[in-house]
């Protein structure tokens, strides 16, 4: 469960980094075409980098705060969503077998 959460967070970080790269290319293109000055381009690029760092830091904090689920926690969640247990399935199989025997 924790590994899956880490993978999701890393995917989010990867997509954020990819977005930053694309945004940087757009800024560079705008500077080349003269639609932004070099100073404006640098400022925008720094702001993008700052936003990316803030987001990655906040995501890292969230991952560090996650605690592993205990068996009791998982059992509680499954009961809450009314998930069938092995014992429930075993009881149902026995009832079905008894009914099939009666029908024969």
């Amino acid at each position: 469960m924790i590994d899956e959460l880490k993978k999701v967070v890393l995917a989010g970080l990867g997509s954020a980094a990819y977005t930053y790269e694309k945004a940087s290319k757009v800024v560079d293109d705008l500077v080349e075409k003269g639609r932004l000055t070099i100073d404006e381009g640098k400022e925008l690029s720094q702001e993008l980098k700052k936003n990316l760092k803030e987001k990655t830091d906040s995501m890292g904090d969230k991952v560090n705060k996650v605690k592993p689920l205990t068996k009791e926690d998982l059992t509680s969640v499954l009961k809450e969503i009314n998930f069938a247990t092995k014992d429930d399935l075993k009881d149902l199989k026995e009832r079905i077998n008894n009914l099939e025997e009666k029908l024969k």
Side-chain angles (χ1 to χ4, degrees):
M1 184 84 159
I2 296 297
D3 289 338
E4 291 172 358
L5 180 62
K6 285 181 182 178
K7 288 178 184 177
V8 168
V9 170
L10 290 175
L13 293 175
S15 65
Y18 180 74
T19 302
Y20 170 73
E21 288 176 18
K22 285 293 187 181
S24 293
K25 287 181 184 179
V26 169
V27 169
D28 291 342
D29 288 344
L30 290 173
V31 169
E32 283 179 24
K33 293 178 182 177
R35 294 186 181 158
L36 283 177
T37 65
I38 294 175
D39 290 335
E40 289 172 332
K42 285 181 183 178
E43 184 179 329
L44 188 55
S45 184
Q46 288 174 350
E47 190 173 329
L48 288 169
K49 194 180 293 186
K50 178 184 161 194
N51 287 342
L52 176 63
K53 182 172 176 17
E54 287 174 0
K55 288 183 182 186
T56 55
D57 289 346
S58 69
M59 290 178 88
D61 291 342
K62 289 178 185 175
V63 170
N64 292 333
K65 291 180 184 178
V66 174
K67 65 174 188 163
L69 283 177
T70 63
K71 185 176 181 178
E72 291 78 24
D73 293 337
L74 189 54
T75 303
S76 172
V77 169
L78 292 175
K79 282 183 182 177
E80 192 174 306
I81 61 172
N82 203 22
F83 199 77
T85 64
K86 283 184 179 181
D87 291 336
D88 293 336
L89 295 175
K90 183 179 175 185
D91 291 342
L92 286 172
K93 284 180 183 180
E94 287 177 14
R95 289 179 62 195
I96 290 170
N97 287 337
N98 289 339
L99 288 171
E100 286 176 342
E101 287 296 321
K102 287 182 181 179
L103 289 174
K104 289 181 182 178

